[in-house]
Amino acid sequence: AEIAINLQLPPGLHGSATSRFLAVCRYIERPGSPLEGRVACFYPQGSMAIDATISTRGTDDEYDLDAVAEIIGGNETPEQLLDLLEKALRNYPVSRIERKTRCITLYYADGMHIDVTPARRLAPKEKESEIPHAKQGRPAEHRYVPMNAFAFCRWYNERTPVEDHFAKVLNKRLYEQHGVVFAEADIEDVPDQTPLIIKSVTTVALQLIKRHRNILYIDEAGRMPPSVVLSCHAGHAAVRGIGLADMVIRQARWTERAIKQAAAARRLLDVRNPEYTDERFTDRWPETQEQQRVYADELGVLANGLQAAREKGAQLEDLQAWLREKFGQRVVTRSVESFNAWLGKQVQDRGHGYTR
């Protein structure tokens, strides 16, 4: 839990993410913009929409947020649609603007960056659309890709509602780490107006699974298992009222099992949007059997290690070293120090107790 708290977007950045999101939307639609009058809607997708944002790759101070700009009218090719969005965002006041294969990325000086993906509506059904795939220098591969991120995020959020007691316990610790100290009171008295950045066991476990993946692939130049695949499996694995460690183990085994079932059938993992099966979450990863085997094995090691530590016990130093290997040196060290400080305060206040 302490590691998960240290993975959260800090409350200050959480607030600025929302204001930046709105500012980008207004800029794209401003008078004189190439997309003036053509943006039907602008909405968050991915981790931003399900409150599962963590730091990028293995860093502790970079955050990647995602948004979709749904564009109406016109008959642009995939490359032309990205051209339009790039022109609409030109001169936006950020550190750097970079064009990617499917989005335009805005980099902020404080380490946050926002990926803005253009989409065009396919059908009257809400947010059912397609996005451009246009890697520069490879025109033969340019195409539109089916997508309904809005429906997927709604599906995930419906399956992972706020778990009040869990959310308030962890949010109280999160805010206290950032200098917002609550009066000594029952957890249930945490003010309702305090934004619940941490909401459900399922989502916090998902953040830990994503962090484990980020550390695992920190030195890899290629693609890593997509966050949306892990989010989809987390949604399927969602169960209310179980412990955080149990949920991390459950999600790790869910993805491990899915990969091994695909490998046994001599095929690559195929994960679809449960709300729009034309959208294939695994269209760019895995590329080979070896890629998916390596990740499945690592998830097995994670789940087995957590289970063994809890059931058989472990020396504290050994456990800390193992956690640093799986979740990163800095964040685990901070978590251990924070936990020790909390425990010390409990002892000083004579509020501590003992368990096996």
Side-chain angles (χ1 to χ4, degrees):
E2 199 67 46
I3 293 171
I5 288 168
N6 278 299
L7 294 179
Q8 302 303 316
L9 194 64
L13 280 181
H14 191 273
S16 68
T18 302
S19 60
R20 286 172 175 177
F21 175 82
L22 296 171
V24 170
C25 177
R26 286 193 296 268
Y27 190 83
I28 291 172
E29 296 184 292
R30 73 194 184 281
S33 164
L35 290 175
E36 180 185 1
R38 290 192 57 189
V39 180
C41 58
F42 194 83
Y43 57 92
Q45 68 159 329
S47 61
M48 187 175 180
I50 63 173
D51 289 312
T53 300
I54 62 167
S55 54
T56 307
R57 285 275 174 150
T59 69
D60 293 315
D61 51 9
E62 295 181 43
Y63 298 91
D64 181 10
L65 306 176
D66 300 282
V68 174
E70 191 176 86
I71 297 166
I72 55 175
N75 191 30
E76 290 85 9
T77 65
E79 184 175 33
Q80 288 169 341
L81 192 62
L82 276 168
D83 287 342
L84 271 178
L85 181 59
E86 187 175 25
K87 288 174 184 174
L89 286 168
R90 188 170 292 159
N91 299 321
Y92 191 71
V94 287
S95 298
R96 180 164 56 97
I97 299 176
E98 185 178 339
R99 178 175 174 144
K100 304 281 184 65
T101 303
R102 296 183 178 183
C103 67
I104 307 297
T105 302
L106 307 174
Y107 292 88
Y108 294 81
D110 59 11
M112 186 183 293
H113 48 278
I114 298 180
D115 293 335
V116 184
T117 302
R120 60 181 193 180
R121 184 73 64 92
L122 268 182
K125 184 179 179 181
E126 189 176 27
K127 308 297 188 296
E128 190 173 294
S129 56
E130 57 186 8
I131 60 173
H133 177 100
K135 191 174 182 68
Q136 291 181 309
R138 298 186 183 180
E141 298 175 9
H142 290 187
R143 63 190 185 278
Y144 275 102
V145 179
M147 187 274 290
N148 194 336
F150 188 87
F152 170 72
C153 292
R154 182 176 56 197
W155 171 86
Y156 178 92
N157 288 329
E158 286 172 353
R159 295 180 67 87
T160 57
V162 174
E163 297 177 59
D164 289 332
H165 186 74
F166 173 83
K168 287 190 172 184
V169 169
L170 265 69
N171 275 280
K172 183 173 187 285
R173 295 282 294 126
L174 172 66
Y175 277 90
E176 286 174 347
Q177 280 196 13
H178 291 274
V180 182
V181 180
F182 298 106
E184 288 300 324
D186 188 87
I187 291 298
E188 298 302 327
D189 295 331
V190 172
D192 288 335
Q193 67 269 26
T194 302
L196 291 178
I197 296 171
I198 302 169
K199 294 186 177 179
S200 76
V201 170
T202 300
T203 299
V204 175
L206 169 61
Q207 290 177 309
L208 288 163
I209 292 286
K210 287 168 60 178
R211 174 68 178 199
H212 169 260
R213 175 209 58 186
N214 289 356
I215 294 299
L216 185 63
Y217 288 86
I218 191 170
D219 294 322
E220 297 290 329
R223 295 201 166 276
M224 59 184 182
S227 292
V228 70
V229 170
L230 304 179
S231 301
C232 185
H233 284 171
H236 284 300
V239 177
R240 297 195 68 177
I242 73 170
L244 182 55
D246 284 327
M247 182 53 80
V248 173
I249 293 168
R250 181 176 171 84
Q251 289 183 23
R253 296 220 187 279
W254 196 285
T255 301
E256 177 194 19
R257 184 168 58 248
I259 291 174
K260 289 186 173 179
Q261 286 173 349
R266 297 184 179 180
R267 58 180 177 80
L268 298 178
L269 180 68
D270 184 7
V271 179
R272 304 284 174 141
N273 185 335
E275 296 292 289
Y276 183 44
T277 54
D278 285 353
E279 181 178 7
R280 185 166 167 251
F281 292 153
T282 48
D283 67 327
R284 294 193 283 181
W285 186 96
E287 298 172 301
T288 65
Q289 288 281 352
E290 178 65 8
Q291 264 188 347
Q292 64 180 14
R293 183 196 64 76
V294 167
Y295 187 53
D297 289 347
E298 290 291 346
L299 287 173
V301 168
L302 175 66
N304 292 341
L306 289 172
Q307 201 160 342
R310 193 174 57 185
E311 292 175 1
K312 300 176 184 177
Q315 292 295 320
L316 189 56
E317 288 303 317
D318 293 340
L319 181 58
Q320 289 178 16
W322 185 82
L323 288 170
R324 287 187 178 99
E325 178 188 322
K326 300 305 176 191
F327 297 105
Q329 181 79 21
R330 285 172 59 189
V331 73
V332 173
T333 298
R334 276 205 313 270
S335 300
V336 170
E337 289 172 351
S338 179
F339 182 79
N340 286 341
W342 172 81
L343 191 61
K345 187 175 185 302
Q346 292 286 98
V347 172
Q348 289 174 352
D349 296 343
R350 293 186 171 87
H352 61 295
Y354 297 95
T355 65
R356 183 178 66 84

